[in-house]
């Protein structure tokens, strides 16, 4: 079981300077390497449960999430959302959860495929982040946390990758 | 009045988003608008940007994905931002987000993401609709019965879209018991699995 799964949209240069010190137990998904986006076929729920049907060596993103104790996302903040690069990875991860629904806090959400939840941390970065972008992002990540069955996610905002590096090292 | 109906679904056929846009198309045509279509799967930034620039109203219809926008749509919108920002834009943009969850308000975040894109692109945000129980929208008429509230919300969108007037964000579900929607959804997933040669237990498979 991986200790930490990192999902990021950093340049190769920035990624190399940071991820080369990781433990062998950790895993890294560079969103820039995931070229194909989710096609909305629901195959990860009804054809190859838990696994994406697109066989491009990224079909096991859901399994990688399931194997992690912690998931740490490093993403540019775009309109209060993850960047398209990171979102591409997250969209292809929905096989991690079940298609079936449950009611949580009087709202409909997905049932969990796996029993052991992971901890979710998100580091957003951007040169000029508006307060309302932060509000949107916080709500988005909290909603993700409910749907993925994590505890309360931690969310941080940084002006640049260097700030993230300083915060994490 | 030039109306652009923009499909934000990653599906190429039979998506709820395209069904809703076809419904809007009829309503706008009845009002005398000129309607054109675009979609986020089109990688040509020039095509998409030009389509927005000649429109008076733009409706982006999309499914809620991981509580936000599908990644391909997010990329498409971001790619357009710089070109749109460089000149004055006349379009008022409305969002129409359908989600598989029963509650339409779970689409609120996605509408806010669209609103921010509009602000950064120099477009006017006109408000939007969050539709719940997306899984049943293709099965019910949208002008009576359980779909009546949704039809009414779409009529209001068209009415205001024709005048480029803003609407309050509206969240609506079919007039249908939530628990029945849940059971129907589960039955639907079991049936889809069966078509693919899978039993009910297979759908719960764990890989770790």
């Amino acid at each position: 079981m991986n200790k930490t799964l990192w999902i990021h949209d950093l340049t190769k240069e920035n990624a190399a300077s940071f991820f080369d010190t990781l433990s062998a137990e950790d895993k890294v998904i560079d969103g820039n390497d995931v070229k194909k986006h989710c096609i909305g076929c629901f195959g990860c729920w009804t054809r190859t449960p838990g696994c994406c049907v697109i066989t491009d060596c990224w079909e096991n993103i859901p399994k990688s999430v399931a194997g992690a104790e912690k998931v740490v996302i490093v993403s540019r903040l775009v309109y209060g959302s993850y960047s398209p690069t990171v979102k591409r990875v997250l969209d292809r991860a929905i096989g991690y959860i079940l298609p079936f629904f449950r009611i949580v806090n009087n709202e409909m959400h997905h049932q969990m495929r796996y029993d052991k939840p992971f901890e979710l941390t998100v580091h957003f970065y951007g040169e000029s982040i508006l307060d309302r972008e932060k509000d949107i992002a916080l709500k988005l990540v909290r909603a993700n946390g409910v749907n993925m069955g994590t505890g309360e996610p931690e969310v941080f905002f940084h002006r640049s990758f260097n700030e993230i590096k300083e915060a994490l090292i | 009045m030039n109306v652009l109906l923009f499909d934000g679904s990653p599906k190429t056929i039979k998506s709820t988003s395209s069904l809703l846009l076809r419904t809007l198309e009829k309503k706008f045509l009845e009002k005398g608008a000129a309607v054109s279509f675009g979609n986020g799967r089109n990688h040509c930034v020039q095509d998409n940007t030009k389509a927005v620039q000649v429109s008076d109203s733009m409706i982006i219809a999309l499914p809620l994905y991981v509580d936000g926008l599908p990644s391909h749509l997010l990329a498409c919108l971001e790619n357009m931002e710089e070109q749109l920002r460089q000149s004055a834009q006349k379009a008022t943009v409305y969002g129409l987000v359908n989600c598989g969850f029963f509650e339409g308000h779970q689409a609120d975040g996605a509408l806010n993401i669209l609103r921010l894109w509009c602000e950064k692109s120099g477009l006017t945000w006109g408000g939007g609709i969050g539709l719940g129980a997306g899984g049943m929208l293709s099965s019910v008429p949208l002008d009576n019965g359980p779909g009546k509230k949704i039809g009414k919300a779409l009529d209001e969108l068209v009415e205001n879209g024709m005048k480029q007037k803003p609407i309050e964000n509206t969240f609506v579900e079919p007039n249908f018991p939530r628990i029945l929607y849940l059971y129907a959804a589960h039955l639907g997933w079991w049936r889809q699995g069966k078509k693919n040669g899978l039993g009910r237990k297979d759908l719960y498979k764990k890989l770790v």
Side-chain angles (χ1 to χ4, degrees), chain A residues 9-106:
Chain A
D9 61 4
L10 301 168
T11 61
K12 294 291 181 196
E13 186 186 346
N14 281 341
S17 74
F18 182 72
F19 293 117
D20 61 355
T21 57
L22 289 186
S23 143
E25 291 179 302
D26 294 347
K27 186 165 183 170
V28 179
I29 296 178
D30 180 344
N32 296 294
D33 294 335
V34 182
K35 304 293 184 194
K36 294 183 180 177
H37 62 75
C38 175
I39 56 174
C41 68
F42 299 132
C44 56
W45 285 340
T46 61
R47 193 180 295 272
T48 53
C51 186
C52 180
V53 298
I54 303 172
T55 50
D56 60 348
C57 84
W58 296 107
E59 56 269 27
N60 282 316
I61 287 175
K63 187 178 171 184
S64 297
V65 173
E69 292 168 5
K70 292 181 186 178
V71 173
V72 181
I73 298 173
V74 178
S75 173
R76 212 164 38 91
L77 186 61
V78 176
Y79 315 130
S81 165
Y82 306 101
S83 66
T85 304
V86 163
K87 191 61 170 40
R88 202 157 54 235
V89 178
L90 298 181
D91 287 353
R92 293 215 28 210
I94 65 166
Y96 170 76
I97 53 179
L98 292 169
F100 308 109
F101 296 126
R102 57 182 176 143
I103 305 298
V104 179
N105 299 327
N106 198 27

Side-chain angles (χ1 to χ4, degrees), chain A residues 82-154:
Chain A
Y82 306 101
S83 66
T85 304
V86 163
K87 191 61 170 40
R88 202 157 54 235
V89 178
L90 298 181
D91 287 353
R92 293 215 28 210
I94 65 166
Y96 170 76
I97 53 179
L98 292 169
F100 308 109
F101 296 126
R102 57 182 176 143
I103 305 298
V104 179
N105 299 327
N106 198 27
E107 278 184 347
M108 191 174 275
H109 291 283
H110 285 286
Q111 291 181 15
M112 296 297 105
R113 183 181 298 278
Y114 299 96
D115 302 318
K116 198 169 175 354
F118 61 85
E119 292 172 23
L120 176 62
T121 302
V122 183
H123 294 272
F124 287 112
Y125 64 94
E127 277 179 11
S128 47
I129 294 177
L130 304 170
D131 282 345
R132 56 182 184 278
E133 277 185 286
K134 286 184 186 176
D135 288 343
I136 294 169
L138 281 167
K139 285 178 185 164
L140 170 65
V141 178
R142 280 191 194 128
N144 291 162
V146 174
N147 274 315
M148 293 194 205
T150 72
E152 180 74 21
E154 287 189 301

Side-chain angles (χ1 to χ4, degrees), chain B residues 4 6 36-38 46-56:
Chain B
L4 172 63
F6 201 84
S36 60
F37 283 85
Q46 307 288 0
D47 283 354
N48 289 330
T49 308
K50 195 174 172 188
V52 176
Q53 286 169 330
V54 300
S55 302
D56 299 299

Side-chain angles (χ1 to χ4, degrees), chain A residues 79 130 132-133 135-136 139, chain B residues 60 69 77 93-95 108-128 169:
Chain A
Y79 315 130
L130 304 170
R132 56 182 184 278
E133 277 185 286
D135 288 343
I136 294 169
K139 285 178 185 164
Chain B
I60 306 178
L69 273 56
L77 297 181
V93 180
Y94 304 86
D108 185 47
L111 291 177
N112 285 327
I113 291 166
L114 288 176
R115 177 172 54 88
L116 262 180
W117 170 72
C118 285
E119 283 180 25
K120 296 204 171 189
S121 303
L123 294 159
T124 303
W125 172 242
N169 281 357

